[in-house]
Coordinates of all heavy atoms in Angstrom, one line a residue:
M1 N -10.9 -16.1 -2.3 CA -10.5 -15.5 -3.5 C -9.0 -15.7 -3.7 O -8.2 -15.5 -2.9 CB -10.8 -14.0 -3.4 CG -10.2 -13.1 -4.5 SD -10.6 -11.4 -4.4 CE -12.1 -11.4 -5.3
G2 N -8.6 -16.1 -4.9 CA -7.2 -16.4 -5.2 C -6.7 -15.4 -6.2 O -7.3 -15.1 -7.2
Y3 N -5.6 -14.8 -5.8 CA -4.9 -13.8 -6.6 C -3.4 -13.8 -6.2 O -3.1 -14.2 -5.0 CB -5.5 -12.4 -6.5 CG -5.8 -12.0 -5.2 CD1 -4.8 -11.3 -4.4 CD2 -7.0 -12.2 -4.6 CE1 -5.1 -11.0 -3.1 CE2 -7.3 -11.8 -3.3 CZ -6.3 -11.2 -2.6 OH -6.6 -10.7 -1.3
S4 N -2.6 -13.3 -7.1 CA -1.1 -13.2 -6.8 C -0.8 -11.9 -6.1 O -1.6 -11.0 -6.1 CB -0.3 -13.4 -8.1 OG -0.5 -12.2 -8.9
N5 N 0.4 -11.9 -5.5 CA 0.9 -10.7 -4.9 C 1.1 -9.6 -6.0 O 0.7 -8.5 -5.7 CB 2.3 -10.9 -4.2 CG 2.2 -11.7 -3.0 OD1 1.1 -12.1 -2.5 ND2 3.3 -12.0 -2.4
V6 N 1.5 -10.0 -7.1 CA 1.6 -9.0 -8.2 C 0.3 -8.4 -8.6 O 0.2 -7.2 -8.8 CB 2.3 -9.7 -9.5 CG1 2.3 -8.8 -10.7 CG2 3.7 -10.2 -9.2
A7 N -0.8 -9.2 -8.7 CA -2.1 -8.8 -9.0 C -2.6 -7.8 -7.9 O -3.2 -6.7 -8.3 CB -3.1 -9.9 -9.1
L8 N -2.4 -8.1 -6.7 CA -2.8 -7.2 -5.6 C -2.0 -5.9 -5.7 O -2.6 -4.8 -5.6 CB -2.6 -7.8 -4.2 CG -3.0 -6.9 -3.0 CD1 -4.4 -6.4 -3.1 CD2 -2.7 -7.7 -1.7
K9 N -0.7 -6.0 -5.9 CA 0.1 -4.8 -6.0 C -0.4 -3.9 -7.2 O -0.5 -2.7 -7.1 CB 1.6 -5.1 -6.2 CG 2.5 -3.9 -6.4 CD 3.9 -4.4 -6.7 CE 4.8 -3.2 -7.2 NZ 6.1 -3.6 -7.5
D10 N -0.6 -4.5 -8.3 CA -1.1 -3.8 -9.5 C -2.5 -3.1 -9.2 O -2.7 -2.0 -9.6 CB -1.3 -4.7 -10.7 CG 0.0 -5.2 -11.3 OD1 1.1 -4.6 -10.9 OD2 0.0 -6.2 -12.1
K11 N -3.3 -3.8 -8.5 CA -4.6 -3.3 -8.1 C -4.4 -2.0 -7.2 O -5.1 -0.9 -7.3 CB -5.5 -4.3 -7.4 CG -6.9 -3.8 -7.3 CD -7.6 -3.7 -8.6 CE -9.1 -3.5 -8.5 NZ -9.8 -3.3 -9.7
I12 N -3.6 -2.1 -6.2 CA -3.2 -1.0 -5.3 C -2.7 0.2 -6.1 O -3.1 1.4 -5.9 CB -2.3 -1.4 -4.2 CG1 -2.9 -2.4 -3.2 CG2 -1.7 -0.2 -3.5 CD1 -2.0 -3.1 -2.3
M13 N -1.8 -0.1 -7.1 CA -1.3 1.0 -7.9 C -2.4 1.7 -8.8 O -2.3 2.9 -8.9 CB -0.1 0.4 -8.8 CG 1.0 -0.2 -8.1 SD 2.1 1.0 -7.3 CE 2.8 1.8 -8.7
E14 N -3.3 0.8 -9.2 CA -4.4 1.4 -10.0 C -5.3 2.2 -9.2 O -5.8 3.3 -9.6 CB -5.2 0.2 -10.6 CG -6.4 0.6 -11.3 CD -7.3 -0.7 -11.7 OE1 -6.7 -1.7 -12.1 OE2 -8.5 -0.6 -11.6
M15 N -5.6 1.8 -8.0 CA -6.6 2.5 -7.1 C -6.0 3.7 -6.5 O -6.7 4.7 -6.1 CB -7.0 1.6 -6.0 CG -7.9 0.4 -6.5 SD -8.5 -0.7 -5.3 CE -10.0 0.1 -4.9
Y16 N -4.7 3.7 -6.3 CA -4.0 4.9 -5.7 C -2.9 5.5 -6.6 O -1.8 5.2 -6.5 CB -3.4 4.5 -4.3 CG -4.4 4.0 -3.4 CD1 -4.7 2.7 -3.2 CD2 -5.2 4.9 -2.6 CE1 -5.6 2.2 -2.3 CE2 -6.2 4.5 -1.8 CZ -6.4 3.1 -1.6 OH -7.4 2.7 -0.8
P17 N -3.4 6.2 -7.7 CA -2.4 6.7 -8.7 C -1.3 7.6 -8.2 O -0.3 7.8 -8.8 CB -3.3 7.4 -9.7 CG -4.6 7.7 -9.0 CD -4.7 6.6 -8.0
E18 N -1.5 8.2 -7.0 CA -0.5 9.0 -6.4 C 0.8 8.3 -6.1 O 1.8 8.8 -6.0 CB -1.0 9.7 -5.2 CG -1.6 8.8 -4.1 CD -3.0 8.5 -4.1 OE1 -3.6 8.4 -5.2 OE2 -3.6 8.2 -3.1
I19 N 0.7 7.0 -6.0 CA 1.9 6.1 -5.8 C 2.9 6.3 -7.0 O 4.0 6.6 -6.8 CB 1.5 4.6 -5.5 CG1 0.8 4.5 -4.2 CG2 2.8 3.8 -5.6 CD1 0.1 3.1 -4.1
A20 N 2.3 6.1 -8.2 CA 3.1 6.3 -9.4 C 3.5 7.8 -9.6 O 4.6 8.1 -10.0 CB 2.4 5.8 -10.6
K21 N 2.5 8.7 -9.3 CA 2.8 10.1 -9.5 C 4.0 10.6 -8.7 O 4.8 11.4 -9.2 CB 1.6 10.9 -9.1 CG 1.7 12.4 -9.1 CD 0.5 13.1 -8.6 CE 0.7 14.6 -8.7 NZ -0.4 15.3 -8.1
Y22 N 4.2 10.0 -7.5 CA 5.3 10.5 -6.7 C 6.5 9.4 -6.7 O 7.4 9.5 -5.9 CB 4.8 10.6 -5.2 CG 4.0 11.9 -5.0 CD1 2.6 11.8 -5.1 CD2 4.6 13.1 -4.8 CE1 1.8 13.0 -4.9 CE2 3.9 14.2 -4.6 CZ 2.5 14.2 -4.7 OH 1.8 15.3 -4.5
D23 N 6.4 8.5 -7.7 CA 7.5 7.6 -7.9 C 7.8 6.8 -6.6 O 9.0 6.7 -6.3 CB 8.7 8.3 -8.5 CG 9.7 7.3 -9.1 OD1 9.2 6.2 -9.6 OD2 10.9 7.6 -9.1
I24 N 6.8 6.3 -6.0 CA 7.0 5.5 -4.8 C 7.0 4.0 -5.2 O 6.2 3.5 -5.9 CB 5.8 5.7 -3.8 CG1 5.8 7.2 -3.4 CG2 5.9 4.8 -2.6 CD1 4.5 7.6 -2.7
S25 N 8.0 3.3 -4.6 CA 8.1 1.9 -4.9 C 7.3 1.1 -3.8 O 7.1 1.5 -2.7 CB 9.5 1.3 -4.9 OG 10.1 1.5 -3.6
V26 N 6.7 0.0 -4.3 CA 5.8 -0.8 -3.5 C 6.2 -2.2 -3.5 O 6.5 -2.8 -4.6 CB 4.3 -0.7 -4.0 CG1 3.4 -1.6 -3.1 CG2 3.8 0.7 -4.0
S27 N 6.3 -2.9 -2.4 CA 6.5 -4.3 -2.3 C 5.5 -4.9 -1.3 O 5.2 -4.2 -0.3 CB 8.0 -4.6 -1.9 OG 8.3 -4.1 -0.7
L28 N 5.2 -6.1 -1.5 CA 4.3 -6.8 -0.6 C 4.5 -8.3 -0.6 O 4.9 -8.8 -1.5 CB 2.8 -6.4 -0.8 CG 2.1 -6.8 -2.1 CD1 1.5 -8.2 -2.0 CD2 1.1 -5.8 -2.4
D29 N 4.2 -8.8 0.6 CA 4.3 -10.3 0.8 C 3.2 -10.7 1.7 O 2.8 -9.9 2.6 CB 5.6 -10.7 1.4 CG 6.8 -10.7 0.4 OD1 6.7 -11.3 -0.6 OD2 7.8 -10.0 0.7
F30 N 2.7 -11.9 1.5 CA 1.6 -12.4 2.4 C 2.3 -13.1 3.6 O 3.2 -13.9 3.5 CB 0.8 -13.4 1.7 CG -0.4 -13.8 2.5 CD1 -1.5 -12.9 2.8 CD2 -0.5 -15.1 3.0 CE1 -2.6 -13.3 3.5 CE2 -1.6 -15.5 3.8 CZ -2.6 -14.6 4.0
D31 N 1.9 -12.7 4.8 CA 2.3 -13.4 6.0 C 1.3 -14.3 6.5 O 0.2 -13.9 7.0 CB 2.6 -12.2 7.1 CG 3.2 -12.8 8.3 OD1 2.8 -13.9 8.8 OD2 4.1 -12.1 8.9
K32 N 1.6 -15.6 6.4 CA 0.6 -16.7 6.7 C 0.3 -16.6 8.2 O -0.9 -16.8 8.6 CB 1.1 -18.0 6.3 CG 1.2 -18.3 4.9 CD 1.7 -19.7 4.5 CE 1.8 -19.8 3.0 NZ 2.4 -21.1 2.7
A33 N 1.2 -16.3 9.1 CA 1.0 -16.4 10.5 C 0.0 -15.2 10.9 O -0.8 -15.4 11.7 CB 2.3 -16.2 11.3
K34 N 0.2 -14.1 10.3 CA -0.7 -12.9 10.6 C -2.0 -12.9 9.7 O -2.8 -12.0 9.9 CB 0.1 -11.6 10.4 CG 1.2 -11.5 11.4 CD 1.9 -10.1 11.3 CE 3.0 -10.0 12.3 NZ 3.7 -8.7 12.3
H35 N -2.0 -13.7 8.7 CA -3.1 -13.7 7.7 C -3.3 -12.4 7.1 O -4.5 -11.9 7.1 CB -4.3 -14.3 8.4 CG -5.3 -14.9 7.4 ND1 -5.0 -16.0 6.5 CD2 -6.5 -14.5 7.0 CE1 -6.0 -16.2 5.7 NE2 -7.0 -15.3 6.0
A36 N -2.2 -11.7 6.8 CA -2.3 -10.3 6.2 C -1.1 -10.1 5.2 O -0.1 -10.8 5.3 CB -2.2 -9.3 7.4
Y37 N -1.3 -9.1 4.4 CA -0.2 -8.7 3.5 C 0.6 -7.6 4.2 O 0.1 -6.7 4.7 CB -0.8 -8.2 2.2 CG -1.4 -9.3 1.3 CD1 -2.7 -9.7 1.5 CD2 -0.7 -10.0 0.4 CE1 -3.3 -10.7 0.7 CE2 -1.2 -11.0 -0.3 CZ -2.5 -11.3 -0.2 OH -3.1 -12.4 -1.0
L38 N 1.9 -7.8 4.1 CA 2.8 -6.8 4.7 C 3.3 -6.0 3.4 O 3.7 -6.5 2.5 CB 4.0 -7.5 5.3 CG 3.7 -8.5 6.4 CD1 5.0 -9.1 7.0 CD2 2.9 -7.8 7.5
V39 N 3.0 -4.7 3.6 CA 3.3 -3.8 2.5 C 4.3 -2.7 2.9 O 4.3 -2.2 3.9 CB 2.0 -3.0 2.1 CG1 2.2 -2.2 0.8 CG2 0.8 -4.0 1.9
S40 N 5.3 -2.5 2.0 CA 6.3 -1.5 2.1 C 6.2 -0.5 1.0 O 6.1 -0.8 -0.2 CB 7.7 -2.1 2.1 OG 7.9 -2.9 3.2
F41 N 6.2 0.8 1.4 CA 6.3 1.9 0.4 C 7.6 2.6 0.7 O 8.0 2.9 1.8 CB 5.1 2.9 0.7 CG 3.8 2.3 0.5 CD1 3.0 1.9 1.6 CD2 3.2 2.2 -0.8 CE1 1.8 1.3 1.4 CE2 2.0 1.7 -1.0 CZ 1.2 1.2 0.1
K42 N 8.3 2.9 -0.4 CA 9.6 3.5 -0.3 C 9.8 4.6 -1.3 O 9.5 4.5 -2.5 CB 10.7 2.5 -0.5 CG 12.1 3.0 -0.1 CD 13.1 1.9 0.0 CE 14.3 2.5 0.5 NZ 15.3 1.5 1.0
K43 N 10.3 5.7 -0.8 CA 10.6 6.9 -1.7 C 11.9 7.5 -1.2 O 11.9 8.0 0.0 CB 9.5 7.9 -1.6 CG 9.8 9.3 -2.2 CD 9.8 9.2 -3.7 CE 9.9 10.6 -4.2 NZ 10.1 10.7 -5.7
D44 N 12.9 7.4 -2.0 CA 14.3 7.8 -1.5 C 14.7 7.2 -0.2 O 14.6 6.0 -0.2 CB 14.3 9.4 -1.4 CG 14.0 10.1 -2.8 OD1 14.3 9.5 -3.8 OD2 13.3 11.1 -2.7
K45 N 14.9 7.9 0.8 CA 15.3 7.4 2.1 C 14.1 7.1 3.0 O 14.2 6.6 4.1 CB 16.4 8.2 2.8 CG 15.9 9.6 3.1 CD 17.0 10.4 3.8 CE 16.3 11.8 4.1 NZ 17.2 12.7 4.6
H46 N 12.9 7.5 2.6 CA 11.7 7.4 3.4 C 11.0 6.0 3.1 O 11.0 5.6 2.0 CB 10.8 8.5 3.1 CG 11.4 9.9 3.1 ND1 11.7 10.5 4.3 CD2 11.8 10.7 2.2 CE1 12.2 11.7 4.1 NE2 12.3 11.8 2.8
E47 N 10.6 5.4 4.2 CA 9.9 4.1 4.1 C 8.7 4.0 5.1 O 8.9 4.4 6.1 CB 10.9 3.0 4.3 CG 10.4 1.6 4.0 CD 11.4 0.5 4.0 OE1 12.6 0.8 4.5 OE2 11.1 -0.6 3.6
L48 N 7.7 3.4 4.6 CA 6.5 3.1 5.4 C 6.2 1.6 5.3 O 6.1 1.1 4.2 CB 5.3 3.9 4.9 CG 4.0 3.5 5.5 CD1 3.9 3.8 7.0 CD2 2.8 4.1 4.7
K49 N 6.1 1.0 6.4 CA 5.7 -0.4 6.4 C 4.3 -0.5 7.1 O 4.2 0.1 8.1 CB 6.7 -1.3 7.2 CG 8.0 -1.4 6.4 CD 9.0 -2.3 7.1 CE 10.3 -2.3 6.3 NZ 10.9 -3.6 6.1
T50 N 3.4 -1.2 6.4 CA 2.1 -1.4 7.0 C 1.6 -2.8 6.6 O 2.4 -3.6 6.1 CB 1.2 -0.2 6.5 OG1 -0.1 -0.3 7.2 CG2 0.9 -0.3 5.0
H51 N 0.3 -3.0 6.9 CA -0.2 -4.3 6.5 C -1.7 -4.1 6.0 O -2.3 -3.1 6.3 CB -0.2 -5.3 7.7 CG -1.2 -5.0 8.7 ND1 -1.0 -4.0 9.7 CD2 -2.4 -5.5 9.0 CE1 -2.0 -3.9 10.5 NE2 -2.9 -4.8 10.1
I52 N -2.1 -5.1 5.2 CA -3.5 -5.1 4.8 C -4.1 -6.5 5.2 O -3.5 -7.5 4.8 CB -3.6 -5.0 3.2 CG1 -2.9 -3.7 2.7 CG2 -5.1 -5.0 2.8 CD1 -2.8 -3.7 1.2
E53 N -5.1 -6.4 6.0 CA -5.8 -7.7 6.4 C -6.3 -8.4 5.1 O -6.6 -7.8 4.1 CB -6.9 -7.4 7.3 CG -6.6 -6.7 8.6 CD -5.8 -7.6 9.5 OE1 -5.9 -8.9 9.5 OE2 -5.0 -7.1 10.3
K54 N -6.3 -9.7 5.2 CA -6.7 -10.5 4.0 C -8.1 -10.1 3.5 O -8.3 -9.9 2.3 CB -6.7 -12.0 4.4 CG -7.2 -12.9 3.3 CD -6.2 -13.1 2.2 CE -6.6 -14.3 1.3 NZ -7.5 -13.9 0.2
K55 N -9.0 -9.8 4.4 CA -10.4 -9.4 4.1 C -10.3 -8.0 3.3 O -11.0 -7.9 2.3 CB -11.2 -9.3 5.3 CG -12.6 -8.7 5.1 CD -13.4 -8.5 6.4 CE -14.6 -7.7 6.3 NZ -14.5 -6.3 5.8
D56 N -9.5 -7.1 3.7 CA -9.4 -5.8 3.0 C -8.7 -6.0 1.7 O -9.1 -5.3 0.7 CB -8.6 -4.8 3.9 CG -9.3 -4.4 5.1 OD1 -10.5 -4.4 5.1 OD2 -8.6 -4.0 6.1
A57 N -7.8 -6.9 1.6 CA -7.1 -7.2 0.3 C -8.1 -7.8 -0.7 O -8.1 -7.4 -1.9 CB -5.9 -8.1 0.5
D58 N -9.0 -8.7 -0.2 CA -10.0 -9.3 -1.0 C -10.9 -8.2 -1.6 O -11.3 -8.2 -2.7 CB -10.8 -10.3 -0.3 CG -10.0 -11.6 0.0 OD1 -8.9 -11.8 -0.5 OD2 -10.5 -12.4 0.9
E59 N -11.3 -7.3 -0.7 CA -12.2 -6.2 -1.1 C -11.5 -5.3 -2.1 O -12.1 -4.8 -3.1 CB -12.7 -5.4 0.1 CG -13.7 -6.1 1.0 CD -14.1 -5.4 2.2 OE1 -13.6 -4.3 2.5 OE2 -15.1 -5.9 2.8
C60 N -10.2 -5.0 -1.9 CA -9.4 -4.2 -2.8 C -9.5 -4.9 -4.2 O -9.7 -4.1 -5.2 CB -8.0 -4.1 -2.3 SG -6.9 -3.1 -3.4
M61 N -9.3 -6.1 -4.3 CA -9.3 -6.8 -5.6 C -10.7 -6.7 -6.2 O -10.8 -6.8 -7.4 CB -8.9 -8.3 -5.4 CG -7.4 -8.5 -5.0 SD -6.3 -7.7 -6.2 CE -6.6 -8.8 -7.7
D62 N -11.7 -6.6 -5.4 CA -13.1 -6.4 -5.9 C -13.4 -4.9 -6.3 O -14.6 -4.6 -6.6 CB -14.2 -6.9 -4.9 CG -14.2 -8.4 -4.8 OD1 -13.8 -9.1 -5.8 OD2 -14.6 -8.9 -3.7
G63 N -12.4 -4.0 -6.1 CA -12.6 -2.6 -6.5 C -13.0 -1.7 -5.3 O -13.3 -0.6 -5.6
I64 N -13.0 -2.2 -4.1 CA -13.4 -1.4 -3.0 C -12.1 -0.8 -2.4 O -11.2 -1.6 -1.9 CB -14.2 -2.3 -1.9 CG1 -15.4 -2.8 -2.6 CG2 -14.5 -1.4 -0.7 CD1 -16.1 -3.8 -1.7
K65 N -12.0 0.5 -2.3 CA -10.8 1.1 -1.8 C -10.7 0.9 -0.3 O -11.7 0.9 0.5 CB -10.8 2.6 -2.0 CG -10.4 3.0 -3.4 CD -10.2 4.5 -3.4 CE -9.6 4.9 -4.8 NZ -9.2 6.3 -4.9
C66 N -9.5 0.6 0.2 CA -9.2 0.4 1.6 C -8.9 1.7 2.2 O -7.9 2.3 1.9 CB -8.0 -0.6 1.7 SG -7.5 -0.8 3.4
I67 N -9.8 2.3 3.0 CA -9.7 3.6 3.6 C -8.4 3.7 4.4 O -7.6 4.6 4.3 CB -10.9 3.9 4.4 CG1 -12.2 3.9 3.6 CG2 -10.7 5.3 5.1 CD1 -12.3 4.8 2.5
Y68 N -8.1 2.6 5.2 CA -6.9 2.6 6.1 C -5.7 2.8 5.2 O -4.8 3.6 5.5 CB -6.9 1.3 6.9 CG -5.6 1.1 7.7 CD1 -5.3 1.8 8.8 CD2 -4.7 0.2 7.2 CE1 -4.2 1.6 9.5 CE2 -3.5 -0.1 7.9 CZ -3.3 0.6 9.0 OH -2.1 0.4 9.7
L69 N -5.6 2.0 4.1 CA -4.4 2.1 3.3 C -4.3 3.4 2.6 O -3.2 4.0 2.5 CB -4.5 1.0 2.2 CG -3.2 0.9 1.4 CD1 -2.0 0.5 2.1 CD2 -3.4 -0.2 0.3
G70 N -5.4 4.0 2.2 CA -5.4 5.3 1.5 C -4.9 6.4 2.4 O -4.2 7.3 2.1
I71 N -5.3 6.3 3.7 CA -4.8 7.3 4.7 C -3.3 7.1 4.9 O -2.6 8.1 5.0 CB -5.6 7.1 6.1 CG1 -7.1 7.5 5.9 CG2 -5.0 7.9 7.2 CD1 -8.0 7.2 7.0
Q72 N -2.9 5.9 5.0 CA -1.4 5.6 5.2 C -0.6 6.2 4.0 O 0.4 6.9 4.2 CB -1.2 4.1 5.3 CG -1.8 3.5 6.5 CD -0.8 3.6 7.7 OE1 0.3 3.9 7.6 NE2 -1.4 3.3 8.9
I73 N -1.1 6.0 2.8 CA -0.4 6.5 1.6 C -0.4 8.0 1.6 O 0.7 8.6 1.4 CB -1.0 5.9 0.3 CG1 -0.9 4.4 0.2 CG2 -0.4 6.6 -0.9 CD1 -1.7 3.7 -0.8
G74 N -1.5 8.6 1.9 CA -1.6 10.1 2.0 C -0.7 10.7 3.0 O 0.0 11.7 2.7
Q75 N -0.6 10.1 4.2 CA 0.3 10.6 5.2 C 1.8 10.4 4.8 O 2.6 11.3 5.0 CB 0.0 9.9 6.5 CG 0.7 10.5 7.7 CD 0.4 11.9 8.0 OE1 -0.8 12.3 8.0 NE2 1.4 12.8 8.1
F76 N 2.1 9.3 4.2 CA 3.4 9.0 3.7 C 3.9 10.1 2.7 O 4.9 10.7 2.9 CB 3.5 7.6 3.1 CG 4.9 7.3 2.6 CD1 6.0 7.1 3.5 CD2 5.1 7.1 1.3 CE1 7.2 6.8 3.1 CE2 6.4 6.7 0.8 CZ 7.5 6.6 1.7
I77 N 3.0 10.4 1.8 CA 3.3 11.4 0.8 C 3.4 12.8 1.4 O 4.4 13.5 1.1 CB 2.2 11.4 -0.3 CG1 2.3 10.1 -1.2 CG2 2.4 12.7 -1.2 CD1 1.2 9.9 -2.1
K78 N 2.6 13.1 2.3 CA 2.6 14.4 3.0 C 3.9 14.5 3.8 O 4.6 15.6 3.8 CB 1.4 14.5 4.0 CG 1.3 15.8 4.6 CD 0.2 15.9 5.6 CE 0.2 17.2 6.4 NZ -0.8 17.2 7.5
N79 N 4.4 13.5 4.5 CA 5.6 13.5 5.3 C 6.8 13.8 4.5 O 7.6 14.7 4.8 CB 5.8 12.2 6.0 CG 4.9 12.1 7.2 OD1 4.2 13.0 7.7 ND2 4.7 10.9 7.7
F80 N 7.0 13.1 3.4 CA 8.2 13.4 2.6 C 8.1 14.6 1.7 O 9.0 15.3 1.4 CB 8.7 12.2 1.8 CG 8.0 11.9 0.6 CD1 8.0 12.6 -0.6 CD2 7.2 10.7 0.6 CE1 7.3 12.3 -1.7 CE2 6.4 10.4 -0.6 CZ 6.6 11.1 -1.7
D81 N 6.9 15.0 1.3 CA 6.6 16.2 0.5 C 6.9 17.5 1.3 O 7.4 18.4 0.7 CB 5.2 16.2 -0.1 CG 5.0 16.8 -1.4 OD1 6.1 16.8 -2.2 OD2 4.0 17.4 -1.7
E82 N 6.6 17.5 2.6 CA 6.8 18.6 3.4 C 8.3 18.9 3.6 O 8.7 20.0 3.9 CB 6.1 18.4 4.7 CG 4.6 18.6 4.6 CD 3.9 18.3 6.0 OE1 4.5 17.8 6.9 OE2 2.7 18.7 6.0
R83 N 9.1 17.9 3.5 CA 10.5 18.0 3.8 C 11.3 18.5 2.6 O 12.5 18.7 2.8 CB 11.1 16.7 4.3 CG 10.5 16.2 5.6 CD 11.0 14.8 6.0 NE 10.4 14.4 7.2 CZ 10.3 13.2 7.6 NH1 10.8 12.2 6.9 NH2 9.7 12.9 8.8
K84 N 10.6 18.7 1.5 CA 11.4 19.2 0.3 C 11.7 20.6 0.4 O 11.1 21.4 1.1 CB 10.5 19.0 -1.0 CG 10.5 17.5 -1.4 CD 9.7 17.4 -2.7 CE 9.7 16.0 -3.2 NZ 9.1 15.8 -4.4

């Protein structure tokens, strides 16, 4: 499946609206050596770096939510939200 980093980022933003709700910035790049997308979420001084396996990214583009990524996003939001 061929898609751009921008298309994957847009799909992640669409599937996880809490990213926009909490004004979290997202960046991602494909790491050829790891055959995975490296994803960074940033909110103020808080940052989470994780990865999405190529297979999971392909499923995401097909509209299947990545449970692992959703848990990571939820925990990230919980961590900085509790510190307010």
Side-chain angles (χ1 to χ4, degrees):
M1 172 179 267
Y3 47 85
S4 68
N5 287 359
V6 173
L8 179 58
K9 178 183 169 185
D10 289 347
K11 190 66 170 182
I12 290 170
M13 298 288 291
E14 174 189 322
M15 294 180 89
Y16 299 97
E18 58 271 29
I19 294 170
K21 177 182 175 184
Y22 287 94
D23 196 29
I24 298 169
S25 64
V26 180
S27 62
L28 62 89
D29 285 306
F30 187 71
D31 185 321
K32 290 180 183 179
K34 294 183 179 183
H35 202 62
Y37 288 88
L38 305 179
V39 187
S40 294
F41 297 98
K42 190 167 186 168
K43 169 75 175 175
D44 302 325
K45 63 182 180 182
H46 308 283
E47 187 171 13
L48 167 70
K49 293 186 181 220
T50 189
H51 72 282
I52 303 173
E53 298 293 331
K54 176 76 168 84
K55 177 186 168 295
D56 291 335
D58 291 347
E59 288 179 351
C60 179
M61 291 303 292
D62 286 336
I64 300 169
K65 281 193 174 186
C66 176
I67 302 296
Y68 171 76
L69 184 62
I71 291 170
Q72 293 275 346
I73 293 167
Q75 187 61 50
F76 180 66
I77 290 169
K78 183 181 175 190
N79 285 344
F80 74 75
D81 210 28
E82 288 178 345
R83 293 179 183 159
K84 286 185 175 183

